[in-house]
Amino acid sequence: GQEELGILEFCLRDCTGISYMPAGHEGVQLPRPSGCVQGLQQGLLVWQQEAPSDFDLAYADFLTLDISMLRLFETFLETTPQLTLVLAIVLQSGGAEAYQWVGICTSFVGISWALLDYHRALRTCLPSKPPLGPGSSVVYFLWNLLLLWPRVFVVALFSALFPHYVALHFLGLWLVLLFWVWLQGTDFMPDSCSEWLYRATVATILYFSWFNVAEGRTRGRAAIHLVFLLSDSVLMAVTWLTHIAWLPSGIPLQTLLPVGGVCVLLGLALRLVYYRWLHPSCRWEPDRVDGTRGLGSLEWRQLPQNRRMAQLAQNFFPRVRDEAALPQKG
């Protein structure tokens, strides 16, 4: 009844710091770091059970999705700026030890892995679609890695050339991206202050990589963002070419820049392959198979649902509006 649901909501919020909102509740709240501890406890609880209940499994998924979003935010708010700073210092000094290059490469892999993990989490919010397979995961990981490292590299190169102006560069682009996010009419948080904090975080992610926040088909917005970032990256590379004598010659920058251009082309090719053959369309279908859980079933509505990630999944995977493509009931 309503009393039991109220007690359940209070317990989830009190134990995890994550607000569970039943279907129909307006507004969504961002996950809190305390949910990571509860997610580990819930995972151990499910692992110890021979036959875990549907509620335990759904609650574990609920926490896992929040952790995936927290990991993505932490990656672009902390790891990526730190990696850019390290690369700028290496470029200014003219060289680095072998273990430092290993750490830099590992950081790039970790950032791409966070993007893949977030994308796989979004995919689990689609009950009518299978989870992301190994082949699709490899393609998604590679095209993000191939497009990400040249972007971070040119930003670090610009930081090494003009350490006093890189903050102005970031602030200028960040304001443009923040304005663009605002134009898309995001409605993700329960109040305006939290919504602007969410938009500021998204604008920071967009400075380095693609992140969709609006419902509908994403092809046009993704193309605009890609052209914007590529144009900015080319301008920063041209700036380096006009001030080539400012940096030490210990690092083969004349080789890294063409290699970065080739990686961008390969990343674009893999991105087209993924969105052409491996990216699912969001088709929210009713139950037509016995034993499956649908979005409209009473059992599914009574289980914990992560409405944050479900809303982002609806934004990221465009809905198929062609009802004729759906099989008709007898």
Side-chain angles (χ1 to χ4, degrees):
Q2 294 297 328
E3 182 178 357
E4 288 79 1
L5 288 177
I7 295 175
L8 172 62
E9 180 182 355
F10 173 80
C11 292
L12 295 182
R13 181 171 61 249
D14 184 64
C15 294
T16 67
I18 302 174
S19 176
Y20 161 59
M21 297 186 179
H25 193 284
E26 297 297 333
V28 184
Q29 295 182 356
L30 282 177
R32 300 179 183 177
S34 58
C36 297
V37 177
Q38 183 66 13
L40 179 60
Q41 295 175 351
Q42 184 68 18
L44 292 175
L45 176 64
V46 172
W47 177 69
Q48 292 173 355
Q49 298 177 6
E50 294 184 359
S53 63
D54 290 339
F55 179 86
D56 287 337
L57 292 174
Y59 186 35
D61 291 338
F62 176 91
L63 295 174
T64 302
L65 295 175
D66 274 337
I67 293 172
S68 177
M69 177 180 287
L70 283 173
R71 184 185 298 113
L72 183 71
F73 287 174
E74 184 271 338
T75 296
F76 283 97
L77 293 178
E78 181 180 349
T79 305
T80 308
Q82 289 178 354
L83 176 60
T84 306
L85 177 61
V86 170
L87 277 175
I89 295 174
V90 169
L91 291 173
Q92 286 182 336
S93 62
E97 301 294 335
Y99 70 90
Q100 293 175 319
W101 286 115
V102 172
I104 291 173
C105 295
T106 303
S107 297
F108 279 119
V109 171
I111 297 172
S112 302
W113 184 265
L115 288 168
L116 173 62
D117 179 73
Y118 174 76
H119 187 74
R120 290 173 65 91
L122 288 183
R123 187 72 168 259
T124 61
C125 295
L126 304 177
S128 61
K129 296 297 179 181
L132 203 65
S136 302
S137 299
V138 170
V139 173
Y140 191 88
F141 173 83
L142 287 178
W143 77 253
N144 277 284
L145 179 62
L146 292 173
L147 292 180
L148 179 69
W149 86 259
R151 172 62 182 176
V152 175
F153 176 75
V154 294
V155 173
L157 192 62
F158 185 82
S159 303
L161 283 173
F162 306 106
H164 302 291
Y165 296 101
V166 64
L168 294 177
H169 174 267
F170 171 79
L171 182 61
L173 265 67
W174 181 81
L175 289 175
V176 172
L177 294 170
L178 181 63
F179 179 71
W180 190 47
V181 173
W182 172 73
L183 288 180
Q184 297 182 50
T186 61
D187 187 17
F188 188 71
M189 303 296 291
D191 57 85
S192 59
C193 294
S194 301
E195 186 66 33
W196 278 106
L197 178 61
Y198 169 73
R199 291 169 180 170
T201 304
V202 171
T204 305
I205 298 176
L206 289 173
Y207 182 82
F208 296 100
S209 181
W210 165 247
F211 188 88
N212 186 52
V213 294
E215 186 177 0
R217 297 193 175 276
T218 62
R219 184 180 304 173
R221 292 191 296 270
I224 293 174
H225 176 261
L226 179 63
V227 171
F228 182 79
L229 282 195
L230 287 179
S231 301
D232 180 68
S233 299
V234 170
L235 287 177
M236 286 190 287
V238 171
T239 303
W240 173 78
L241 292 175
T242 59
H243 301 80
I244 193 171
W246 284 26
L247 290 178
S249 58
I251 299 177
L253 297 178
Q254 293 85 352
T255 303
L256 287 178
L257 284 180
V259 170
V262 173
C263 288
V264 169
L265 295 178
L266 291 177
L268 290 177
L270 289 178
R271 187 173 182 177
L272 291 175
V273 169
Y274 176 83
Y275 282 106
R276 178 62 179 86
W277 289 286
L278 303 176
H279 185 69
S281 58
C282 180
R283 179 179 298 160
W284 301 91
E285 300 174 350
D287 290 341
R288 277 188 292 274
V289 180
D290 293 337
T292 60
R293 294 182 305 184
L295 291 178
S297 63
L298 180 61
E299 177 187 2
W300 175 254
R301 289 179 179 270
Q302 292 177 347
L303 295 176
Q305 302 174 36
N306 196 316
R307 297 185 63 246
R308 289 174 289 271
M309 299 296 288
Q311 179 178 344
L312 290 173
Q314 293 180 45
N315 294 339
F316 194 80
F317 300 95
R319 297 182 179 182
V320 176
R321 303 185 182 275
D322 188 7
E323 299 294 339
L326 296 176
Q328 302 294 331
K329 292 186 178 180

